[in-house]
Amino acid sequence: MKILKIGGDQIDDSAFLKLLASVIINNDTPTAIVHGGGKGIAELQHRLGIEIAHVEGLRVTDPASLEVAEMVLSGLINKKLVAGLIAAGVDALGISGIDRGLFRCSKKAHPSIDLGLVGEIKDVRSEVVHDLVRSNITPVISPISLGTDGKHYNVNADEAAAALAVALKAEELFFISNVPGIIQDQRVVTTINSEEAIELIDKKVIKSGMVPKILSAIQAVTNGVQQVRIVDSQGLSTDSGTTIISDGLSNEIASAQMRTSDVVAAEAKFVVPTYSRPLPVFTHGKGAYLFDAEGRRYLDFAAGIAVTALGHSDKEWVEAVSNQAGKLTHVSNLYHTEPHVELAQRLTENSFADRVYFCNSGTEANEAAFKFARKWARSRHSTQEKTGIVAFEGSFHGRTIGSLAATSKSKYRSPFEPLMPGVNFATLNDVASAKKVITKETCAVIVEPIQGEGGVNPASKDFLSKLRELCDQNQALLIFDEVQCGLGRSGNLWAYQNSGVKPDVMTLAKPLAGGLPIGATLVTEEVAQTIQPGDHGSTFAAGPLVCKAAQVVFDRVSQPDFIRNVSNTGEYLKQRLMELEPQQLVEIRGSGLLIGAEFSCAIDPLIQAAAERGLLLISAGENILRLCPPLIITMEQVDEAIEIIDESINIMEMGRVQ
């Protein structure tokens, strides 16, 4: 069996139709044709005044758009192609994926967007095609398909052709394009395996409309289709074009590719929807790159929200975790373990602190800081009223009730009120505002030296110095939340070192164990002496496995050369961002490798466009781009990211103009 996939715009080429008919007539192998028609659909929608809908950069098929697609694909294009083949001597019959239930599909899943009537083929009734070819009839198939819910769906023609070829155990699958194959260095690549093809997609050698063809070709060749070729019209009757062959990796890619929609659909069914996740299902990472289930590579400028300081799958980190997992993972805090103590010693000997309390996350570290502050105040002062906590507008300290009470944004707070009482907010970098709320009844002031979630807003040196004075005057503790900006991220080992101001308490979490859950509350001896056994605790905290991982991270990040490189790379990133100078760029701020780029417009389109081009970015508010790559990022990788950001900004700006 041979499957040919052709584009809808090729049916107007009479010479091509004659060539296509000749190939079918002179070939002993039964042939089936699958065709597309995106250009024709767009043209008719435009003539009918039907807007082409997009959400977050993805095309959405609403009922009106589906009517147009079905009219064009199953009507105009399908019948015109059949007529051309019959005129050239081929006995052809036009059908759609709906006829006799040829293609059964499900609605294509997306974690946050309703794509409308877009389908993904789940089953192919192969006897429909076999019945026709046994009668020497060439099926000409439109990819409009029947959903399991009885609705009609539009399916990508490349995906439909690959699914048909796999179901029919076809010997050959041809994707007939307007180019003679994959072009690299101005030459046609004659043979390529799937791993190499994925790499060319990552490098943008393969791009635009060729990408779905290549991904569909990989799916076909790794599921039993003997030969898949990308050709132009002349390649139909010659040995030219690009042949896609299978390899070891491609089996994994194709299998995972088919699982992507299943994972997304299962998550939508079983997981509490606290996050709206974009579509990629990530399977592995290496260094500063992540790879999704389809084998596509992404430069990771999110680092798990500033967590994976050493990047992904760091060799030393993996070995330490593997070795410790083979020895001892958990005994609880009822017993002593060496890794726990060794990590505490590292943290205290390299900071202002004398002691450490370990927990499992940043919000828990802040909860501990608040409890310690209130216990300290009660033990040091006779009044029971000294319980107030001061935080700042734009702050984010976590999502548990106490930490949430000190988080300023109402969208996080209001659904869960009433929260922990006694918290007042001041304006960051406004000393007069801070003076109004820091009083003798204040037990602690909590501040992020660089606000992360709040917009990458650095606290000035002078402001932090004044906070230290106000806390001393009012006998309150100064807490630095370095959950996101600490441990090398700011270009110093600790962000407080940028100002020279020492806190009484410091909270850590995100990067400390390189991706395993850990939190830490570092305190002075004066604070520690007020805490007694039973005042606080955590079952899973400071387990030997996570502490061993944290030792590896700390030992690497604390090296002077490592810190110097973070600082230099961060300055280079700032410089490259400032060179872009788009109209909407308002300000670039931050320190080290925690950089914020503020725009005068919403940046979701920029983030979406960058992801489509292989760069992962996150925001710190509707209009602030937050760049927090792994601390091992190189200047060459910064250049790679800037190139994609520049292109994505242009796409965002064009969308705003339109």
Side-chain angles (χ1 to χ4, degrees), residues 193-203 211 214-215 218-219 247 249-260 280-285 289-299 614:
N193 66 39
S194 54
E195 182 178 6
E196 294 165 339
I198 292 295
E199 186 175 344
L200 292 185
I201 292 174
D202 293 336
K203 292 179 177 178
V211 172
I214 300 304
L215 294 178
I218 291 172
Q219 179 180 346
D247 60 11
L249 176 63
S250 62
N251 289 319
E252 178 183 340
I253 290 172
S255 175
Q257 182 180 13
M258 290 186 290
R259 292 198 304 269
T260 296
V281 174
F282 291 117
T283 57
H284 61 290
Y289 294 95
L290 279 169
F291 298 83
D292 69 13
E294 298 179 9
R296 189 179 180 198
R297 189 181 73 171
Y298 298 78
L299 180 57

Side-chain angles (χ1 to χ4, degrees), residues 321-650:
V321 170
S322 299
N323 291 338
Q324 186 61 47
K327 295 178 180 178
L328 185 65
T329 301
H330 174 77
V331 295
S332 85
N333 277 302
L334 297 176
Y335 305 102
H336 298 286
T337 63
E338 289 183 12
H340 170 207
V341 177
E342 291 168 349
L343 179 59
Q345 183 176 357
R346 282 168 165 81
L347 293 174
T348 54
E349 289 181 348
N350 290 276
S351 72
F352 74 93
D354 299 303
R355 295 180 185 266
V356 184
Y357 166 77
F358 287 111
C359 50
N360 307 287
S361 66
T363 191
E364 291 175 68
N366 286 328
E367 292 280 352
F370 297 149
K371 288 182 68 174
F372 294 173
R374 285 186 168 174
K375 180 77 184 296
W376 170 85
R378 286 202 169 109
S379 65
R380 289 289 188 269
H381 304 88
S382 58
T383 176
Q384 295 297 301
E385 304 302 319
K386 195 175 179 61
T387 59
I389 293 168
V390 172
F392 294 90
E393 293 175 5
S395 63
F396 182 91
H397 298 295
R399 297 179 187 269
T400 51
I401 291 297
S403 298
L404 190 58
T407 294
S408 71
K409 285 190 178 181
S410 60
K411 73 172 186 178
Y412 297 131
R413 298 162 52 87
S414 57
F416 309 104
E417 292 174 338
L419 304 174
M420 179 183 74
V423 180
N424 290 299
F425 291 93
T427 302
L428 188 72
N429 292 325
D430 186 335
V431 176
S433 172
K435 284 182 177 179
K436 291 180 181 178
V437 292
I438 300 175
T439 69
K440 295 299 182 181
E441 294 182 353
T442 301
C443 72
V445 175
I446 185 167
V447 63
E448 299 159 271
I450 306 173
Q451 289 182 341
E453 298 290 331
V456 193
N457 301 307
S460 71
K461 294 180 181 180
D462 181 64
F463 181 70
L464 293 178
S465 178
K466 294 296 185 183
L467 283 186
R468 178 72 275 175
E469 292 177 13
L470 288 170
C471 286
D472 292 342
Q473 291 168 9
N474 290 279
Q475 296 182 306
L477 297 180
L478 179 59
I479 303 170
F480 278 3
D481 179 340
E482 295 206 14
V483 167
Q484 186 163 160
C485 63
L487 197 61
R489 175 64 60 183
S490 71
N492 274 308
L493 182 58
W494 311 117
Y496 75 77
Q497 293 172 322
N498 293 346
S499 65
V501 176
K502 292 182 180 180
D504 303 295
V505 179
M506 179 172 70
T507 56
L508 306 175
K510 287 182 180 293
L512 185 53
L516 293 180
I518 191 172
T521 306
L522 281 65
V523 299
T524 62
E525 185 67 27
E526 180 184 353
V527 176
Q529 287 302 318
T530 64
I531 307 303
Q532 302 299 318
D535 280 348
H536 201 41
S538 173
T539 298
F540 292 102
L545 179 69
V546 70
C547 286
K548 202 69 177 178
Q551 288 178 36
V552 172
V553 176
F554 183 86
D555 288 347
R556 292 266 290 283
V557 171
S558 61
Q559 293 298 314
D561 287 346
F562 190 101
I563 294 292
R564 192 177 304 112
N565 188 64
V566 170
S567 180
N568 292 340
T569 307
E571 286 301 314
Y572 182 67
L573 174 57
K574 270 187 175 180
Q575 173 192 327
R576 291 302 317 276
L577 285 167
M578 288 187 286
E579 291 170 0
L580 297 178
E581 297 184 347
Q583 288 182 331
Q584 286 86 4
L585 185 58
V586 175
E587 183 185 12
I588 296 169
R589 54 182 179 259
S591 179
L593 286 172
L594 180 55
I595 306 297
E598 182 175 347
F599 289 79
S600 61
C601 60
I603 59 167
D604 277 349
L606 190 163
I607 293 174
Q608 175 68 29
E612 292 171 355
R613 286 154 183 78
L615 174 66
L616 298 178
L617 299 170
I618 57 175
S619 65
E622 184 181 54
N623 64 325
I624 298 165
L625 188 66
R626 176 174 23 166
L627 299 109
C628 51
L631 301 184
I632 60 166
I633 204 79
T634 66
M635 292 187 182
E636 291 77 15
Q637 289 166 333
V638 168
D639 289 336
E640 181 183 346
I642 291 295
E643 182 179 345
I644 296 174
I645 291 171
D646 189 22
E647 184 179 352
S648 301
I649 288 174
N650 291 334

Side-chain angles (χ1 to χ4, degrees), residues 62-96:
D62 58 18
S65 298
L66 181 66
E67 285 185 22
V68 173
E70 193 159 5
M71 185 187 307
V72 172
L73 292 171
S74 300
L76 297 174
I77 291 178
N78 190 273
K79 301 314 174 190
K80 197 170 184 179
L81 181 52
V82 168
L85 290 173
I86 290 174
V90 175
D91 191 1
L93 177 69
I95 62 173
S96 76

Side-chain angles (χ1 to χ4, degrees), residues 153-267:
Y153 286 86
N154 194 7
V155 172
N156 178 277
D158 294 323
E159 295 177 10
L164 183 65
V166 170
L168 293 173
K169 297 181 173 59
E171 289 85 6
E172 295 178 298
L173 168 60
F174 284 72
F175 290 95
I176 305 167
S177 177
N178 56 1
V179 293
I182 297 173
I183 308 294
Q184 185 179 25
D185 298 327
Q186 299 182 330
R187 293 185 177 183
V188 176
V189 177
T190 56
T191 304
I192 190 170
N193 66 39
S194 54
E195 182 178 6
E196 294 165 339
I198 292 295
E199 186 175 344
L200 292 185
I201 292 174
D202 293 336
K203 292 179 177 178
K204 306 298 188 297
V205 174
I206 301 172
K207 54 187 177 182
S208 301
M210 188 65 78
V211 172
K213 289 179 175 55
I214 300 304
L215 294 178
S216 296
I218 291 172
Q219 179 180 346
V221 77
T222 54
N223 282 278
V225 179
Q226 295 179 18
Q227 178 175 269
V228 179
R229 288 172 58 194
I230 313 292
V231 300
D232 59 9
S233 58
Q234 297 304 313
L236 267 177
S237 55
T238 66
D239 289 330
S240 61
T242 300
T243 300
I244 311 289
I245 62 174
S246 181
D247 60 11
L249 176 63
S250 62
N251 289 319
E252 178 183 340
I253 290 172
S255 175
Q257 182 180 13
M258 290 186 290
R259 292 198 304 269
T260 296
S261 61
D262 294 332
V263 170
V264 173
E267 178 176 313

